[in-house]
Amino acid sequence: MTPVTVRLLPRALRFLRARSRVLLLMGGWSLLESAHTFLGGYSVAKALDDGFLAGRTTTGLSWLAVAAVAVVLGGLAGRGVFRGLAGLVEPLRDALVRGVVARALDEAVADPARAADTAVVSRLTNQTELARDSFAGLVLVARSFVFTAAGALLGLVSLAPQLLLIVLPPLVAGLLLFVATLVPMARRQRAFLRADETLSAEFGAVAAGLRDVVACGAREEVAARANALIDAEERAARHLAGWAAARAVALGVAGQLPVLLLLVSAPWLLREHLTAGAVLGALTYLTQALLPALHTLMNALGSGGTRLLVVLDRLTRPARTPGRGPDGAGGPGTDARGSRADAARIVPAPGEDSEAPSGTCDHGSGDLDAGRPARAPRSVRPSPGPPAGPRVELRAVTFAYGPAAQPVLHDLDLVVEPGEHLAVVGPSGIGKSTLTGLLAGLLHPVSGDVRVGGLPPGAAYGSDPARLRVLIPQQAYVFSGTVRDNLLYLCPDGASTAALEATSHAVGLGPLLSRLGGLDARIDPATLSQGERQLLALGRAHLSPAPLVLLDEATCHLDPAAEQRAERAFADRPGTLIVIAHRISSARRADRILVLDGNRATVGSHSELLEHSALYRELAGNWQPERSH
């Protein structure tokens, strides 16, 4: 008995005891089905021996009529069994759904900083339905096999006890062979479900971080990783199918070998004074009752039974608590044995830690590993492209989210000179983030032209878009690894410790570094606040060689003093800076301010806009510089 069985058996017994009335009802109908099996073979034997072979046609037909009535009784029994089955299956499904939801809520309450487990979608939909269907099938076939086998064996004894010498040995041998395949098949089923959950979590992470993927130029890496997970699930399915072949062998031994032995031994049985009717009745029991029941039982136990065991194990595990892995084991990203999840699990669900120094690209939202290998730092920081930064141009740019949608930006003309600091302001939903998406190459205009340094924004210095521009959004995520790993992620050629320390001082990372233990301290993303994550992302962007920095409310979780220090660091950094501002103080620090107002746009200094733009006066009056967002 496996540890999973030991853990689940008491709960299963409690569940069944609470529904003893349903079980008794199903047992009563199953006895009627057993009588149908007994009468099926016995009536055929009597119809032949006492009827047709004895020259009594009426007697033979009467016994066949009894067999026909037995078929009707079997149908009525099956109908009663199915009615009772709902009383077992539906409560199980409801209990599993409640358990999955309660576990997810407990994990969220216990560890609010950790993002939701996206694998819960697979548990609520695919796995609970797998458990429901598997349990229903298992109850039906196990009950059917027990009562069918009882009726058939009783019938064989009533015809001739010698028949058991032919039927029982291969039947028992085949069942033992089948039982021997259950444990390895359960392992393969568990591996398949783990691969399915991992693939579900990967697709959830990718869907949440498509902006990251495009901004990092990591489409090929993410596609390759997704393909690897698909291949892993395919391999798990193939291994599971291999054990299904062993089940076919067991079925042949238990169900078809007795038929062959009965035919071969028929002359000996007749010499032992068995009647032809007894031999035909035994053949009827084997082909019409035992063989179909065995086939159904082995298919159900071999696939549905092991699948049910594995799914129930995963659905009924205790909730994950802080400091424990998703399966309740000790440590992030560990399985129930306390070891790292299998190698196919390359990307965690959002909020789970990735294993390694391979990092995340914080150009968009989503805790997504872009799949780049860790880069060894070098002693010299590369020069950040053109010292003055690129010239940014938008000529008659129009953009809409769909052919029938109203344009978010309409005929926008804008020139940001090399090295200029531009702030963008406007009401929520007016198109500020859309503008940064166009400049980063994440979006493409319906009409007009966007140029960064004379090139389309999707272009890059060499093969890395991070050498041209860096976009840091409001939701900035970090990955498991050291502080150094996180800061160096956008430095293709590495950077010296002196450069790392200078950047950390410039953006205000000093207190966080002291708390964590320095540049080589490991980070648990779940323990960091949103503001601390933003500081790390800002340090990463500041250290990068990109001559164009786009900050899309990237300081919204910082207090005004920390925001001022970070933005001052970027203003002093060589390059062009475009900031989506959310405080009046942030806008006033810029060289110029772009005000987006529907399809209109106005550019000017703070004093000019106060004089000429009613919207800017309204925004400036509503902003509270001392308020922390």
Side-chain angles (χ1 to χ4, degrees), residues 2 12 26 37 65 77-78 94 97 101-102 106 159 179 185 188 234 296 336 358 389 406 442 463 477 563 623:
T2 64
M26 294 179 66
T37 302
D94 294 344
V97 169
V101 173
D106 288 345
L159 293 176
V179 169
M185 183 170 285
R188 296 300 183 184
E234 181 186 7
T296 305
S358 63
Q406 289 293 324
L442 305 179
S463 60
Y477 289 83
E563 177 188 61
W623 268 326

Side-chain angles (χ1 to χ4, degrees), residues 28 51 77 86-87 111 144 146 155 209-210 216 274 289 316 347 387 416 437 463 491 495 508 579 617:
D111 195 1
S144 177
V146 169
L210 288 177
C216 292
L274 265 72
T316 59
V347 174
V416 182
S463 60
C491 292
V579 177
R617 285 196 298 272

Side-chain angles (χ1 to χ4, degrees), residues 239-444:
H239 292 155
L240 189 60
W243 282 101
R247 185 175 66 232
V249 175
L251 176 63
V253 173
Q256 295 174 350
L257 185 57
V259 176
L260 179 61
L261 292 178
L262 180 64
L263 294 175
V264 171
S265 60
W268 173 76
L269 293 173
L270 293 175
R271 287 195 299 270
E272 292 294 320
H273 307 295
L274 265 72
T275 64
V279 175
L280 182 60
L283 191 63
T284 301
Y285 282 129
L286 290 176
T287 58
Q288 301 301 313
L290 271 179
L291 183 58
L294 270 172
H295 186 276
T296 305
L297 176 72
M298 290 187 177
N299 281 335
L301 280 179
S303 56
T306 54
R307 183 169 58 232
L308 176 63
L309 190 64
V310 173
V311 171
L312 288 178
D313 176 41
R314 300 187 72 80
L315 293 181
T316 59
R317 288 182 182 179
R320 176 180 63 195
T321 57
R324 297 178 67 85
D327 294 329
T334 58
D335 61 18
R337 297 179 299 279
S339 60
R340 279 286 169 187
D342 53 277
R345 185 169 187 174
I346 301 174
V347 174
E352 293 183 18
D353 301 338
S354 58
E355 161 70 12
S358 63
T360 200
C361 187
D362 273 328
H363 290 291
S365 54
D367 193 0
L368 182 66
D369 180 352
R372 299 184 185 178
R375 304 179 176 109
R378 298 183 183 178
S379 59
V380 179
R381 176 181 173 183
S383 60
R391 178 186 177 94
V392 176
E393 301 174 84
L394 291 90
R395 301 296 184 187
V397 169
T398 296
F399 179 85
Y401 289 97
Q406 289 293 324
V408 179
L409 300 175
H410 182 70
D411 285 338
L412 176 63
D413 289 304
L414 175 68
V415 175
V416 182
E417 297 297 339
E420 187 176 7
H421 177 183
L422 177 76
V424 183
V425 301
S428 178
I430 204 66
K432 302 186 296 295
S433 294
T434 300
L435 176 61
T436 61
L438 289 167
L439 295 178
L442 305 179
L443 302 174
H444 302 285

